[in-house]
Amino acid sequence: MAEPRAYEGFDCAPGLKLEAHERLSAVLIDGLKDRLARLEDEHERLEKRVWLAVYGVAAAIIASAFQSILTAVPGIS
């Protein structure tokens, strides 16, 4: 009597498609997370530049006001 053959398991096409789709989705999501992290870093740098510009303008206005006060007060050279 012959021994029954042990058949190897195989993946069916729909299962392979689903697995490939899951891998592709994971890669796309990782890419989006990376892009979001880079955008957040750029946003933070831009925000620092904007605040630096705001403080620079405020300092120029205060310096101008201080200079006009000094020229308006007699006796101070």
Side-chain angles (χ1 to χ4, degrees):
M1 211 167 166
E3 293 181 24
R5 290 186 177 176
Y7 293 104
E8 293 182 21
F10 65 94
D11 293 329
C12 61
L16 290 174
K17 285 173 122 177
L18 181 61
E19 184 181 333
H21 183 266
E22 289 173 348
R23 284 193 314 250
L24 180 62
S25 295
V27 168
L28 291 175
I29 289 171
D30 289 342
L32 286 173
K33 287 179 182 178
D34 182 50
R35 188 179 302 168
L36 180 61
R38 284 188 280 136
L39 283 173
E40 287 175 348
D41 290 342
E42 290 178 19
H43 180 264
E44 188 174 324
R45 286 194 311 249
L46 180 63
E47 186 177 6
K48 287 179 183 178
R49 288 182 195 165
V50 167
W51 280 113
L52 184 63
V54 167
Y55 288 140
V57 169
I61 291 171
I62 291 172
S64 175
F66 188 68
Q67 185 179 12
S68 66
I69 289 173
L70 287 179
T71 56
V73 175
I76 298 178
S77 299

